[in-house]
Amino acid sequence: MADEIEGANVLAQALKAQGVEYMFGIVGIPVIEVAYAAQAHGIKYIGMRNEQAASYAASAIGYMTGRPAVCLVVSGPGLIHALAGMANAQVNCWPLIVIGGSSEQHQEGMGAFQEYPQVELCRPYCKYSARPSKVERIPFYIEKAVRHSIYGRPGVSYIDLAGDMVTQKVNVANLSPNVKCLDPPKTLADPDKIKEAIDLIHYAEKPLVIVGKGAAYAKAENSVKRFIESTRFPFLPTPMGKGVLPDDHNLCVSPARSKALQEADVILLLGARLNWILHFGLPPRFNPKVKVIQVDICVEEMNNNVQNAVSLVGDMDAVMTQMNDQLDKIPGHFQFNPKSPWWRTLNNKVQQNQKAVQAMMDDKSEPLNYYAAYSEIQKFLPKDCIIVSEGANTMDISRTMVPNYLPRHRLDAGSFGTMGVGLGFAVAAGIWCKDHAPGKRVISIQGDSAFGFSGMEIETICRYKLPVTLMIINNGGIYAGVPEDVWKSLQAEDLTLMSPPTALMAAARYEKMIEAFGGRGFCARKCEEINKYLTEITKDEERVALLNILISPMSSRKTQDFDWLTKSKM
């Protein structure tokens, strides 16, 4: 009948009404009709090769745009695979909606196909987990899922869809209305606390601004830039806070990270958490007498691990606008002295560390080290490209060697330290660029271990002809491999006893894989070859390319005062 509609179409209409643009997933019983319905309503469906990668991809869209994408999975094992992306998005505070098919309502408790307590399973991994009671109520649940994912601290929502609801027909007149969830209201901090914060930084001798990915997510780059450039305070971006202000900004002190954290007496913490990435804000990484001014959307995050001097709860852009307005009221307008002892200390440390890095960049001996390889890669990176970086040393070193100039243009392992996210992120960034920023490139740089988690997604990238260039920094292992000659000598041995647990196959030719899907593969061992092949790749960006860069299995990061991780790595 004309006035009836199937459950799959009710769901698709509800998602479209909420502004959902993308759906990533792997179809099967009972959700295949949902994917067809989504496409019919103008929602782009991207078929992935693994539910983990699908959930990572959908979450990356949430971070880049501020509105959630959908990860669509089948029941039982399909949903369990997607838990990885749900956990990653929840810890990173990124909006994501996961829709999982489940057993039919009349078969509950009977041992139905892939039956599992999915709503209960998902609750620890998300902000909102629910199963619509009937088809007519699906729009109500979808609006609520979107609202939970973007309001307050962003996060994950899960909607469980019974198999019989997908094809069940209901009367259109009985549907809950599709009311779009508006963007979150912008909340302001207490004006008295703003004054306290300005008073505190006015008298700081060693101020420091830490710019986190929360500032990037909040699209606060203009207000943050205005504050930092007005005060002339040194700033330090967290890994995904890179690009809120460009890495080459003259006030950026990333090369003096340890020194800046150790000695700062007042820290303005913008959308960053004092977790493991920032050593919990505790000595010896931080000054034991440091005074922290924390700006965050989440009140529960205040005073976590360190008692704040001032807590500013609110939308990052709105709060920084308040801070700027308060600064304007100071006669003569306060500005930190660029010739102060603090700036001299930081500049000296920056120059010292840059010299150490330059020495490793200049070392072109073979097999190559990370820095020499990156020194060639740098030359071919467009300033507006989206960088996807993954892998232990590969990712850590890229934070130094691969600059970011724009906000929300870096995607890496994030707060959860998740390996396997890289290719899912690359798919998401590639799809978004293709639709919204034609001509923009995605550069995915992974270690060989990281590539292995979801390597088949290169077929997805080739299938959709995404503007992605792939690079693998191949040291033949996790942290470290073994030299090729040693690997060959081990072939006569029992590798389960003799091969180091960190070792992968030495000099594996990953570039051959992409040729199976119509892409171009290249393998480089020398700087000249990296230059040659990237020149060739740049000339023909219509076809996806993968450059496999073989480096020394023993190459590592430069020695630092403190390891990035709280406990030392291999």
Side-chain angles (χ1 to χ4, degrees):
M1 295 176 62
D3 58 351
E4 287 189 329
I5 184 172
E6 287 189 344
N9 284 301
V10 174
L11 176 62
Q13 282 184 359
L15 293 171
K16 185 68 175 178
Q18 297 304 327
V20 171
E21 190 174 2
Y22 299 107
M23 178 181 286
F24 301 83
I26 297 179
V27 295
I29 297 171
V31 298
I32 189 167
E33 291 88 355
V34 172
Y36 279 118
Q39 289 180 316
H41 286 84
I43 297 172
K44 297 193 174 186
Y45 176 80
I46 300 93
M48 306 288 285
R49 302 303 299 265
N50 178 282
E51 288 95 352
Q52 285 188 14
S55 59
Y56 296 142
S59 70
I61 291 290
Y63 170 66
M64 290 190 295
T65 69
R67 300 288 298 199
V70 168
C71 174
L72 179 70
V73 296
V74 299
S75 51
L79 175 62
I80 289 171
H81 290 169
L83 291 178
M86 294 173 69
N88 188 68
Q90 187 71 1
V91 172
N92 277 317
C93 309
W94 294 355
L96 167 66
I97 294 177
V98 176
I99 297 175
S102 62
S103 53
E104 298 187 2
Q105 291 173 302
H106 67 278
Q107 294 177 348
E108 284 186 16
M110 298 175 65
F113 175 65
Q114 295 182 335
E115 182 179 4
Y116 210 68
Q118 296 179 180
V119 176
E120 294 80 6
L121 173 71
C122 289
R123 284 204 172 101
Y125 301 92
C126 59
K127 293 177 66 180
Y128 177 70
S129 179
R131 178 177 172 121
S133 54
K134 56 183 180 178
V135 171
E136 291 88 343
R137 295 276 285 166
I138 286 175
F140 167 84
Y141 285 96
I142 293 298
E143 187 279 336
K144 198 166 186 178
V146 171
R147 182 156 36 91
H148 274 75
S149 76
I150 62 176
Y151 278 37
R153 172 181 277 177
V156 184
S157 292
Y158 172 68
I159 297 296
D160 197 69
L161 193 64
D164 50 334
M165 284 190 178
V166 174
T167 55
Q168 180 184 345
K169 292 184 178 181
V170 297
N171 194 302
V172 172
N174 294 332
L175 295 179
S176 296
N178 281 311
V179 179
K180 184 176 182 179
C181 174
L182 301 178
D183 289 339
K186 296 212 169 191
T187 52
L188 298 173
D190 182 341
D192 291 335
K193 294 294 182 182
I194 293 288
K195 293 176 184 176
E196 285 184 35
I198 294 298
D199 287 343
L200 184 57
I201 65 173
H202 188 79
Y203 296 103
E205 295 181 0
K206 296 182 177 181
L208 178 68
V209 180
I210 298 178
V211 182
K213 71 172 175 286
Y217 177 82
K219 298 181 174 61
E221 51 267 20
N222 291 332
S223 57
V224 170
K225 179 183 179 184
R226 179 184 165 198
F227 178 87
I228 289 175
E229 292 186 345
S230 294
T231 59
R232 306 301 294 174
F233 282 171
F235 75 91
L236 175 71
T238 62
M240 288 181 59
K242 283 162 60 71
V244 173
L245 274 78
D247 283 344
D248 61 355
H249 196 287
N250 64 336
L251 299 176
C252 180
V253 292
S254 288
R257 179 181 187 272
S258 293
K259 177 66 73 173
L261 294 179
Q262 278 181 302
E263 296 191 14
D265 62 352
V266 174
I267 288 178
L268 178 60
L269 191 66
L270 303 181
R273 291 170 282 177
L274 293 177
N275 55 18
W276 66 275
I277 291 177
L278 288 173
H279 315 295
F280 312 107
L282 299 175
R285 272 76 169 180
F286 280 68
N287 181 345
K289 295 182 180 180
V290 67
K291 293 181 170 119
V292 176
I293 303 166
Q294 184 174 8
V295 185
D296 202 283
I297 192 67
C298 179
V299 68
E300 290 87 354
E301 190 59 39
M302 296 299 168
N303 305 306
N304 191 36
N305 297 323
V306 172
Q307 188 73 28
N308 293 335
V310 184
S311 297
L312 301 174
V313 181
D315 173 81
M316 180 64 61
D317 188 46
V319 173
M320 291 311 297
T321 299
Q322 287 180 280
M323 294 277 280
N324 288 322
D325 291 344
Q326 188 64 30
L327 270 179
D328 289 341
K329 296 177 183 178
I330 299 176
H333 197 74
F334 168 73
Q335 193 172 90
F336 195 66
N337 185 358
K339 296 182 179 180
S340 67
W342 179 226
W343 262 118
R344 285 200 300 271
T345 297
L346 293 175
N347 285 332
N348 288 340
K349 193 64 176 177
V350 166
Q351 292 171 13
Q352 178 184 334
N353 286 342
Q354 285 177 337
K355 286 179 182 178
V357 170
Q358 188 62 50
M360 288 182 283
M361 290 171 60
D362 292 340
D363 178 6
K364 308 295 186 182
S365 58
E366 299 167 19
L368 296 173
N369 67 63
Y370 282 99
Y371 294 87
Y374 272 123
S375 70
E376 295 302 317
I377 292 172
Q378 278 182 350
K379 302 172 185 177
F380 292 87
L381 300 180
K383 274 199 162 187
D384 68 342
C385 68
I386 295 178
I387 301 292
V388 179
S389 184
E390 181 190 16
N393 290 326
T394 300
M395 179 177 64
D396 285 352
I397 294 170
S398 79
R399 289 165 177 158
T400 300
M401 296 296 298
V402 178
N404 282 91
Y405 303 98
L406 297 171
R408 298 169 297 281
H409 277 57
R410 181 183 175 88
L411 298 164
D412 70 16
S415 301
F416 209 30
T418 308
M419 291 294 103
V421 297
L423 290 179
F425 286 175
V427 169
I431 286 287
W432 184 87
C433 287
K434 194 171 184 179
D435 289 344
H436 298 283
K440 188 185 290 285
R441 299 294 300 176
V442 178
I443 309 295
S444 173
I445 307 175
Q446 297 179 283
D448 50 328
S449 171
F451 175 79
F453 280 87
S454 53
M456 276 302 293
E457 298 303 338
I458 62 174
E459 185 273 335
T460 310
I461 292 170
C462 290
R463 184 178 0 128
Y464 291 106
K465 300 179 181 178
L466 301 182
V468 177
T469 298
L470 301 155
M471 301 183 206
I472 299 175
I473 309 294
N474 184 354
N475 72 342
I478 303 169
Y479 302 124
V482 296
E484 289 182 63
D485 56 342
V486 176
W487 178 255
K488 290 176 182 177
S489 71
L490 288 174
Q491 299 310 297
E493 307 290 340
D494 183 342
L495 290 179
T496 62
L497 296 174
M498 297 300 295
S499 176
T502 62
L504 302 172
M505 181 180 289
R509 300 297 298 273
Y510 296 108
E511 79 281 0
K512 299 293 185 183
M513 293 175 60
I514 202 163
E515 295 173 1
F517 308 120
R520 297 179 297 155
F522 304 89
C523 181
R525 293 176 181 267
K526 304 176 182 180
C527 286
E528 295 84 357
E529 292 174 337
I530 297 174
N531 193 293
K532 173 186 174 183
Y533 295 137
L534 286 178
T535 298
E536 190 171 337
I537 289 168
T538 303
K539 287 179 180 177
D540 179 13
E541 292 182 335
E542 292 300 312
R543 292 172 62 197
V544 178
L546 188 156
L547 176 59
N548 181 21
I549 303 173
L550 303 180
I551 68 167
S552 169
M554 304 312 294
S555 179
S556 185
R557 298 186 298 148
K558 72 183 182 73
T559 302
Q560 297 187 23
D561 296 334
F562 299 107
D563 280 335
W564 188 261
L565 294 173
T566 303
K567 294 184 179 180
S568 61
K569 296 190 295 189
M570 293 286 290

